[in-house]
Amino acid sequence: MALSAITILRDIILATVRNTAHGQWKVLVIDEATKKLVDSVVKEDDILEEHVTNIERIEDRRQARPEMDAVYLLSPQPHIVDCLMADFERRRYRKSYLVWTSLLHPELRTRLDKSAMAREQIAQFRVLNIDFFPRESHLITFRDPWSFPILFHPACNHLVRKHMDDLAQKIVSICVSLGEYPTIRYHRPRNPVHEASVLCSHLARFVQDELDQYAKFHEDFPPPSARPRGSLIITDRSMDLFAPLLHEFTYQAMVHDLLPVKEGDKFLYKTVVNQGEANEEEKDIEIGEKDKIWVENRHLHMKDLLEKLVADFNKFRAENPQFAKSSQNANSINNIKDMLAGLPQFQEGKEAYSLHLSMAQECMNIFQKCRLADIASVEQSLATGLDEDYRKPKNLADQVVRLLDDEDVSFPDRIRLLIEYLLYRDGLLPTDIQKLLAHAQLPAQDGEVIHNLGLLGAHVSRRLKDTKPASQPPFAKKQPPKPEAEESGLSRYDPAVSAMLEEHIRGTLDQILFPYTKPYLDAAEGLMGQENVSQASLRSAKPTWARTRPSSVEPRQRIIVFMAGGATYSESRACYEISRTSNKDILLATTHMMTPSLFLRQVADLSADKRRLGIPAEQPMPKAPAHLFEKEPQTIPQATPQIPLQRPSNQSQSKEPPTAGMTAMHLGFNGRGTSGTLNGTGKAHPLPMPPTAAESPPSGKLVKRDKEKDTEKKKKHHFFSSKS
């Protein structure tokens, strides 16, 4: 089965819910942060099928359920521990199984351990190491755009240590979830001139220490596997400053660069559905892994995409005879859109094709209107240092000035082009920078963007007779393609990540530019060939040469690339492509995904007053809601006749699961108890035995038929909402 970070995280969450309080009906309690994590990979119905009667938010008002066990899936934040202690104070649930998404701070753990009230109610304590967001099968983000100013803003030095600790924990979470104990390499730039040049070396050592500590206390890590030992390469945004500026003409990159996509927990694009019909409406449609057309085509060059969309539509047309009656030819996007408008019975396929045809057409409209072909031709020469014939380019300054003066070139494209020219020249005279800004008719504040590039290692300005040698690129210039190879003249530049991965796989990656954190051990392993070192050899004494004849399908080695400060869609595409051609599984992990507009905005903010940026680490810590600590109203008993204690014989077994029908369900149970924990991280606390069915008071219980109706009703509603 192909590797998918989404599937791995989904399986971990569902297995944890299933095997915690095994076989018992339970409530799942989450917080705001873990809700986002769960929503990103798991459907609510899949959770409810694991003997879960309800999903509740710990911050919300909730009814007490003293007859039910609760599985808490929580983020290790101080105010969440406050919410948890409030639940213990109320004895809201019978037993509490605590599952944390990452390591709890020692002070918070001590607070729980010293509380007799907490010890009495905690049935299990474990750390799951899942504090990350898989966005695609091979793309993982931390959803943390604030990482960029913390790492590169001069006034945020006091925040860097804590932030690196957090990043290291998240990277370790990825490794643990994948079952990888990788060798670690990091980018160390040649002749650095910026303060953040030591970022990767410090982060790599933090990660190495955390991984070693985890392996020390978890003898089952890494799990035995015939898969070759993985690699982790840590780099940052400053390694490649061209990638977030260039116009990329693959589908995914163009959509995020040119179209008004709403980027948040989900990626939404507003389009008109049922155009020309009575039920025409504007609708936000999600772009994600559930969209097969998007997944299959997102890395295609736009010229190939348009041809493939037409071909796929013709195939769809042939498979549905209703199309045969149409006299129109499906040879253009407009004809296809007109044909789709007449097919209300194929609503799902109709909306998917309409969405992508609309987005592709809008991208091409902008491409033509804003003269992106002319801009990209100059950009590629600036980024590669070679023209389309792979020779030294001529008259680049004149070409840049002409484009800066062109009214059809947008202002954001002008500043991108100006910065690319500065990077190509390895710095400009201050007077030349001012002249180019005047040609581009850009405001003076855009000069701050150019000046701030120095914080990322760029040479911004130089003197007239500067004898300082030009900075060397980390990798050699790209060689001309073979005559039979197809390459677009507008896509000649390959991100630095691409060259880095290719050299790492060949075993030729410079160990001075990308040293190991354990050079004496890992470098020797690299010289032997990492394919010969399996995960099992880290713990077992059996030598790898003693393995029997290799199987026809060898497990693929995994390479994790972590880019601090944001990664681009061109870099994500490069990882997928090299993964496909090298027979490796390459995953790109990053703090956040970066578009050209976001990159320019974040670089501009590096000279702003950091108080204006609203960095969460400097904001007041969130607090537990006050209503959790309010006293519940006491009910005054009414003078009513006492109910006889004797029960009818047919109600003596009233303590049953919520429904008899649901009791018979055993979805995916493996018959094992919950005393063991994932990766050995669990800790159980002895508790008094819960009351038996006969000892439980009958008040507040539902009869069997009412419980069945109540359970069916709950399954039809959204259980992330709270009850007042």
Side-chain angles (χ1 to χ4, degrees):
M1 183 179 177
L3 173 70
S4 171
I6 295 174
T7 302
I8 288 174
L9 188 56
R10 176 184 181 277
D11 291 346
I12 290 174
I13 292 174
L14 289 180
T16 301
V17 174
R18 179 187 309 125
N19 297 324
T20 304
H22 185 68
Q24 299 291 323
W25 290 98
K26 57 220 171 193
V27 176
L28 178 64
V29 184
I30 58 180
D31 58 46
E32 182 182 3
T34 54
K35 179 186 183 301
K36 292 179 180 179
L37 190 151
V38 170
D39 282 351
S40 68
V41 294
V42 185
K43 294 180 181 177
E44 182 182 324
D45 287 345
D46 293 339
I47 294 176
L48 294 175
E49 287 179 357
E50 303 295 348
H51 272 59
V52 173
T53 63
N54 204 8
I55 302 173
E56 300 177 348
R57 282 270 300 276
I58 195 170
E59 302 99 334
D60 293 344
R61 295 182 184 272
R62 291 162 285 138
Q63 292 180 351
R65 299 175 182 269
E67 78 285 357
M68 298 288 290
D69 293 340
V71 177
Y72 287 87
L73 181 60
L74 303 175
S75 54
Q77 302 177 74
H79 74 286
I80 296 300
V81 174
D82 292 339
C83 296
L84 183 63
M85 295 300 288
D87 277 8
F88 291 153
E89 184 76 29
R90 300 274 181 91
R91 296 188 176 272
R92 195 177 295 278
Y93 305 104
R94 184 173 59 189
K95 290 189 293 185
S96 299
Y97 296 81
L98 305 187
V99 182
W100 303 93
T101 57
S102 61
L103 202 62
L104 193 64
H105 192 278
E107 291 182 4
L108 299 176
R109 177 64 190 267
T110 301
R111 180 183 175 190
L112 291 173
D113 288 342
K114 288 186 175 181
S115 169
M117 175 181 60
R119 291 199 308 271
E120 182 183 346
Q121 297 178 61
I122 295 175
Q124 194 176 73
F125 187 107
R126 61 195 296 192
V127 178
L128 211 50
N129 292 295
I130 56 170
D131 192 12
F132 57 90
F133 294 89
R135 180 165 160 184
E136 298 174 7
S137 62
H138 289 63
L139 177 61
I140 296 170
T141 74
F142 298 159
R143 294 186 183 178
D144 187 12
W146 304 107
S147 180
F148 188 89
I150 291 176
L151 295 175
F152 296 109
H153 197 297
C156 291
N157 288 341
H158 64 292
L159 301 174
V160 172
R161 175 59 193 254
K162 172 67 168 58
H163 185 62
M164 283 203 173
D165 280 332
D166 294 341
L167 290 180
Q169 287 287 345
K170 293 175 188 288
I171 296 170
V172 169
S173 290
I174 295 173
C175 296
V176 170
S177 298
L178 294 173
E180 293 289 343
Y181 194 180
T183 60
I184 301 176
R185 304 181 75 167
Y186 59 92
H187 179 229
R188 183 169 62 188
R190 297 188 185 100
N191 305 318
V193 295
H194 60 301
E195 188 176 359
S197 62
V198 297
L199 187 161
C200 295
S201 61
H202 288 322
L203 181 57
R205 286 180 170 81
F206 282 20
V207 174
Q208 186 71 70
D209 291 345
E210 291 291 340
L211 264 177
D212 291 345
Q213 193 76 358
Y214 186 89
K216 179 179 178 181
F217 291 100
H218 298 82
E219 294 186 357
D220 57 348
F221 177 79
S225 172
R227 184 175 58 251
R229 187 181 184 188
S231 299
L232 169 65
I233 306 176
I234 295 176
T235 182
D236 70 273
R237 183 64 273 153
S238 66
M239 185 180 79
D240 186 354
L241 296 179
F242 275 109
L245 293 168
L246 292 174
H247 286 86
E248 164 99 358
F249 296 123
T250 52
Y251 185 36
Q252 184 181 41
M254 283 190 81
V255 165
H256 286 280
D257 184 9
L258 305 179
L259 301 186
V261 177
K262 295 180 182 177
E263 301 200 17
D265 295 343
K266 296 181 179 180
F267 293 83
L268 304 173
Y269 179 72
K270 181 171 288 187
T271 187
V272 177
V273 297
N274 304 318
Q275 193 167 9
E277 301 176 21
N279 58 341
E280 176 181 323
E281 62 172 331
E282 265 196 340
K283 187 176 182 181
D284 284 331
I285 299 182
E286 182 181 355
I287 307 170
E289 293 301 289
K290 298 175 185 177
D291 187 338
K292 293 182 180 179
I293 299 177
W294 173 255
V295 172
E296 290 176 4
N297 300 298
R298 61 188 168 201
H299 297 141
L300 286 182
H301 193 280
M302 185 57 72
K303 64 180 179 62
D304 300 322
L305 171 74
L306 297 175
E307 294 175 3
K308 188 171 186 300
L309 282 179
V310 171
D312 288 348
F313 179 77
N314 283 328
K315 182 180 177 182
F316 179 70
R317 181 187 183 190
E319 291 172 352
N320 295 277
Q322 293 83 348
F323 280 102
K325 300 176 183 178
S326 174
S327 60
Q328 291 178 294
N329 293 320
N331 55 10
S332 73
I333 288 180
N334 289 331
N335 284 352
I336 293 174
K337 290 171 71 175
D338 292 340
M339 293 167 67
L340 285 171
L343 291 171
Q345 63 268 40
F346 298 108
Q347 190 64 30
E348 185 176 347
K350 174 184 172 182
E351 286 191 2
Y353 275 106
S354 295
L355 170 68
H356 293 289
L357 291 166
S358 296
M359 290 198 302
Q361 185 64 63
E362 185 62 24
C363 286
M364 291 308 300
N365 291 342
I366 297 173
F367 178 85
Q368 295 167 359
K369 178 183 177 182
C370 297
R371 298 193 58 186
L372 295 188
D374 295 334
I375 294 173
S377 178
V378 176
E379 283 183 336
Q380 293 295 313
S381 297
L382 294 172
T384 61
L386 301 168
D387 62 14
E388 293 188 11
D389 297 323
Y390 286 85
R391 299 171 184 168
K392 185 175 180 179
K394 298 178 181 179
N395 303 320
L396 274 180
D398 292 340
Q399 296 179 53
V400 168
V401 170
R402 278 198 298 269
L403 288 170
L404 293 180
D405 288 336
D406 195 319
E407 293 182 356
D408 290 333
V409 177
S410 66
F411 287 105
D413 286 342
R414 295 181 193 186
I415 186 66
R416 288 163 69 172
L417 193 60
L418 198 158
I419 293 173
E420 289 158 0
Y421 181 65
L422 180 143
L423 296 174
Y424 166 72
R425 293 291 305 272
D426 198 37
L428 294 170
L429 297 174
T431 54
D432 289 344
I433 294 176
Q434 295 304 319
K435 290 177 182 178
L436 290 172
L437 285 171
H439 269 290
Q441 301 177 37
L442 294 170
Q445 55 263 34
D446 282 341
E448 287 294 309
V449 179
I450 296 173
H451 174 74
N452 292 343
L453 288 170
L455 297 171
L456 278 74
H459 292 165
V460 176
S461 62
R462 57 186 176 89
R463 294 188 294 271
L464 184 60
K465 296 182 179 180
D466 198 340
T467 58
K468 181 175 56 178
S471 59
Q472 295 297 317
F475 304 101
K477 291 183 178 180
K478 184 179 178 181
Q479 295 299 314
K482 296 179 181 179
E484 64 273 11
E486 290 188 12
E487 182 183 66
S488 169
L490 304 183
S491 304
R492 303 192 310 275
Y493 180 78
D494 289 330
V497 164
S498 181
M500 178 192 75
L501 286 169
E502 288 173 349
E503 292 192 14
H504 173 76
I505 292 169
R506 288 196 301 263
T508 59
L509 187 60
D510 190 341
Q511 292 191 28
I512 296 177
L513 192 60
F514 287 89
Y516 290 89
T517 52
K518 294 182 176 180
Y520 299 106
L521 298 175
D522 297 341
E525 182 176 303
L527 291 174
M528 285 193 308
Q530 293 178 347
E531 290 78 4
N532 297 325
V533 183
S534 69
Q535 292 270 34
S537 66
L538 295 173
R539 296 267 183 206
S540 66
K542 185 178 179 180
T544 55
W545 48 260
R547 288 183 296 180
T548 58
R549 185 170 35 180
S551 62
S552 58
V553 181
E554 288 286 347
R556 288 158 61 107
Q557 184 191 25
R558 294 172 178 172
I559 302 173
I560 305 166
V561 177
F562 177 74
M563 183 164 288
T568 68
Y569 291 98
S570 60
E571 290 162 335
S572 171
R573 172 188 54 78
C575 290
Y576 277 100
E577 290 177 351
I578 297 174
S579 180
R580 185 171 59 252
T581 57
S582 65
N583 198 33
K584 309 284 185 184
D585 281 322
I586 301 174
L587 294 97
L588 176 62
T590 183
T591 50
H592 62 294
M593 293 307 292
M594 182 167 276
T595 61
S597 59
L598 177 60
F599 178 68
L600 292 175
R601 188 165 68 248
Q602 290 199 310
V603 172
D605 285 342
L606 293 181
S607 56
D609 187 337
K610 69 181 178 66
R611 292 173 296 183
R612 187 175 63 82
L613 302 180
I615 298 174
E618 294 204 313
Q619 304 305 306
M621 295 289 289
K623 295 183 178 180
H627 64 78
L628 293 177
F629 305 96
E630 296 172 356
K631 291 186 177 180
E632 294 182 350
Q634 297 182 353
T635 55
I636 302 175
Q638 299 178 357
T640 55
Q642 293 291 326
I643 300 175
L645 293 176
Q646 185 176 2
R647 303 177 188 172
S649 59
N650 63 347
Q651 293 186 5
S652 60
Q653 302 296 326
S654 63
K655 177 66 177 178
E656 295 181 359
T659 67
M662 291 178 71
T663 306
M665 292 184 183
H666 295 281
L667 301 175
F669 291 168
N670 54 17
R672 293 178 293 181
T674 58
S675 58
T677 59
L678 189 67
N679 292 326
T681 56
K683 178 179 178 182
H685 295 269
L687 285 180
M689 292 297 292
T692 62
E695 295 168 345
S696 300
S699 60
K701 304 295 179 186
L702 297 172
V703 246
K704 180 177 177 183
R705 184 179 303 171
D706 290 337
K707 287 186 179 181
E708 289 177 350
K709 292 180 180 178
D710 185 59
T711 306
E712 291 174 2
K713 182 179 179 182
K714 284 178 179 177
K715 280 202 167 188
K716 294 178 182 177
H717 285 76
H718 194 283
F719 285 98
F720 284 119
S721 59
S722 62
K723 293 186 178 182
S724 300

